[in-house]
Amino acid sequence: MPENEMAVESKLIPILREGVDLVKMILFRRLRLHLANAYPEQDASYVNRMAGAVINDLFGDSPPAEPFAGFARDHAEAIDREVRRIAVSMSDMLIPLTDALRIQFLCDYQEGVDSTPVLARANELGILLSDREVPLPARFISMVRKLGSSLQLVRKT
């Protein structure tokens, strides 16, 4: 691979990962509202941790540090149940989630990480829209910026 192509790739991966993180942030906001209604007996701390744990589970991230790792272990069944509900409860998020999961997979692949099981599980749960084409990086970033600015998470450019 030519040196200038490697330089472009090394700059592109962090930008794409920021886009994936923005989709996660949007999902976090949505999940907090959903979970607050689903678990009215729980306090805001529980709802926030549950939303974070659901996103970590969906994207294949396992938090190594306490108290997050303990929360994930102690609430594994509820986390799994909520991940399984995403396809229905967050159906309007399926396009950005599909694109973010695929972009994460491509970034992971470039960095030598196999995140095929994450995609396979999302597909099995009906979260991954299999008939949707993998977005080009510019199209993904554009979609994420529009979505983020519509929710006032990023400035319009």
Side-chain angles (χ1 to χ4, degrees):
M1 179 179 301
E3 191 174 317
N4 61 346
E5 194 174 315
M6 285 175 39
V8 168
E9 239 177 61
S10 69
K11 291 178 183 176
L12 184 59
I13 300 291
I15 292 168
L16 292 172
R17 288 207 185 271
E18 283 182 26
V20 171
D21 287 343
L22 187 56
V23 171
K24 289 178 181 180
M25 187 183 323
I26 292 164
L27 180 60
F28 180 81
R29 290 174 107 200
R30 296 282 311 285
L31 276 171
R32 275 192 331 199
L33 295 172
H34 167 75
L35 294 169
N37 290 328
Y39 300 93
E41 72 284 358
Q42 297 292 346
D43 64 6
S45 174
Y46 175 89
V47 169
N48 287 339
R49 285 187 182 181
M50 179 62 78
V54 167
I55 292 166
N56 286 341
D57 190 71
L58 175 61
F59 281 85
D61 299 328
S62 38
E66 293 299 338
F68 307 107
F71 183 90
R73 274 191 313 276
D74 295 345
H75 299 90
E77 190 176 305
I79 292 164
D80 184 62
R81 184 174 53 247
E82 292 305 328
V83 171
R84 292 178 180 282
R85 290 181 180 164
I86 288 175
V88 174
S89 65
M90 306 284 156
S91 61
D92 61 321
M93 288 287 301
L94 294 182
I95 288 174
L97 286 173
T98 294
D99 290 358
L101 286 162
R102 287 179 170 162
I103 291 293
Q104 174 183 279
F105 172 83
L106 293 172
C107 291
D108 287 350
Y109 178 80
Q110 288 297 314
E111 295 174 345
V113 176
D114 180 15
S115 55
T116 304
V118 173
L119 280 182
R121 182 166 183 245
N123 188 46
E124 171 192 312
L125 297 175
I127 296 168
L128 198 69
L129 302 174
S130 56
D131 59 341
R132 183 164 171 79
E133 289 185 32
V134 176
L136 294 172
R139 184 170 287 161
F140 174 68
I141 295 301
S142 175
M143 186 244 341
V144 169
R145 282 186 179 146
K146 285 178 188 170
L147 189 57
S149 72
S150 74
L151 298 170
Q152 299 175 337
L153 293 172
V154 296
R155 289 188 305 233
K156 292 182 181 179
T157 54

